[in-house]
Amino acid sequence: MYSVLLQISQLSKVFNRRTIFSDINFSLQESNSLTVTGINGSGKSTLLKIIAGVLSPTHGHVSLSISDKQIDSKDRFQQIGFVAPYLQLYDEFTAWENLAIVRKIRGMNIDDGYLISLLRRMSLEERKDELVRTYSSGMKQRLKYAFALLHQPPILILDEPTTNLDESGHEIIYDIIEEQKQSGVVIIATNDSHEVRLCEQVLDLDKTGRYEVNKVLA
Ligand SMILES: Nc1ncnc2c1ncn2[C@@H]1O[C@H](COP(=O)(O)OP(=O)(O)OP(=O)(O)O)[C@@H](O)[C@H]1O
Ligand SMILES: [Mg+2]
């Protein structure tokens, strides 16, 4: 078992002189889960991208330590699984090739059996040798989960987690979130009232100027 500590300090983001949010502070440890909520354009995706390290903050910083070891910000992505509508898959490759390419690029020591088990979990095993460009939008969303879980990351960040998914897809994702809550950290961005309650804490970006993390009320 590892310990995880993700600390968000005085985080602000300004786009073209428009302040999206400012002075966000919170910290999450293993077994903590957070939902980020707020109206369209309130900055949910922006915040998740900054935490994942794909976007820089205007002020403030994100720090991550795993088992008391500080992780360099350029290596943070290795500790994070990220699923989001704007993340791209390699369309001209099959699902299997997509996973195998990432395994190779990242030098991961993962056997084929584990890749198959991920595809099976997402109900994609039978379609694994078909080009991703021929996939339906829900199948693409399922493949993004196989990607995100490939390296069994201590932190899972899910922007609109169930976009394009059917009912069975929702159930699979809710199970994945529950499992992640056992040992790691999970952060989701959603406006779905059911999904807000999947996490123990909530950060509401509509409460301008008072970004407090609150317990989700039962
Ligand atoms: N690259 C960018 N350049 C300029 N402004 C941007 C950029 N990305 C996002 N914004 C602005 O930042 C604000 C927050 O956008 P963001 O996508 O984070 O919102 P959101 O809460 O995820 O919205 P939604 O619920 O629609 O997904 C919006 O006003 C948006 O126009
Ligand atoms: Mg968004």
Side-chain angles (χ1 to χ4, degrees):
M1 254 297 265
Y2 42 70
S3 62
V4 185
L5 180 60
L6 177 71
Q7 288 177 294
I8 309 301
S9 318
Q10 300 176 330
L11 214 63
S12 302
K13 186 66 185 177
V14 179
F15 279 124
N16 309 324
R17 280 187 253 139
R18 175 188 285 131
T19 299
I20 309 303
F21 48 70
S22 61
D23 202 23
I24 294 188
N25 299 279
F26 62 85
S27 66
L28 298 171
Q29 297 183 0
E30 66 277 6
S31 307
N32 287 164
S33 54
L34 175 74
T35 302
V36 181
T37 188
I39 59 169
N40 296 144
S42 60
K44 302 179 295 298
S45 298
T46 301
L47 177 60
L48 266 49
K49 287 179 198 169
I50 292 172
I51 296 171
V54 297
L55 195 66
S56 301
T58 307
H59 300 290
H61 59 270
V62 177
S63 88
L64 173 65
S65 66
I66 308 280
S67 299
D68 297 323
K69 188 171 168 287
Q70 190 67 30
I71 306 295
D72 202 282
S73 60
K74 72 172 173 18
D75 298 326
R76 199 158 72 226
F77 74 95
Q78 294 180 0
Q79 308 294 336
I80 291 174
F82 193 21
V83 174
Y86 38 80
L87 292 184
Q88 296 294 319
L89 299 160
Y90 301 110
D91 259 9
E92 297 302 323
F93 291 94
T94 67
W96 175 263
E97 288 166 343
N98 265 269
L99 296 175
I101 289 166
V102 172
R103 173 175 65 176
K104 190 163 181 192
I105 292 172
R106 291 194 176 180
M108 294 172 179
N109 186 19
I110 297 167
D111 61 27
D112 286 1
Y114 182 64
L115 296 195
I116 293 282
S117 69
L118 281 175
L119 288 164
R120 186 178 306 135
R121 175 160 208 195
M122 302 317 299
S123 306
L124 291 175
E125 188 185 2
E126 283 182 15
R127 310 286 299 267
K128 70 178 172 43
D129 296 319
E130 295 174 37
L131 295 183
V132 169
R133 83 175 140 74
T134 69
Y135 269 30
S136 72
S137 49
M139 289 166 69
K140 287 183 184 175
Q141 177 73 351
R142 285 165 179 256
L143 182 56
K144 287 179 184 179
Y145 276 89
F147 258 98
L149 298 172
L150 199 57
H151 52 309
Q152 296 173 292
I155 298 178
L156 201 52
I157 298 181
L158 311 174
D159 196 351
E160 302 176 20
T162 53
T163 295
N164 294 320
L165 293 179
D166 58 22
E167 209 169 308
S168 88
H170 281 70
E171 292 308 318
I172 295 168
I173 302 323
Y174 298 157
D175 284 348
I176 288 171
I177 290 171
E178 282 309 312
E179 279 168 28
Q180 184 73 16
K181 279 160 69 177
Q182 303 298 315
S183 56
V185 168
V186 56
I187 303 174
I188 69 178
T190 184
N191 277 314
D192 180 300
S193 58
H194 174 70
E195 289 173 9
V196 167
R197 289 164 190 279
L198 295 174
C199 292
E200 55 168 5
Q201 301 181 81
V202 63
L203 175 66
D204 185 352
L205 292 180
D206 293 341
K207 302 223 165 103
T208 332
R210 282 194 308 115
Y211 298 115
E212 284 170 26
V213 172
N214 293 306
K215 288 262 181 235
V216 173
L217 301 173

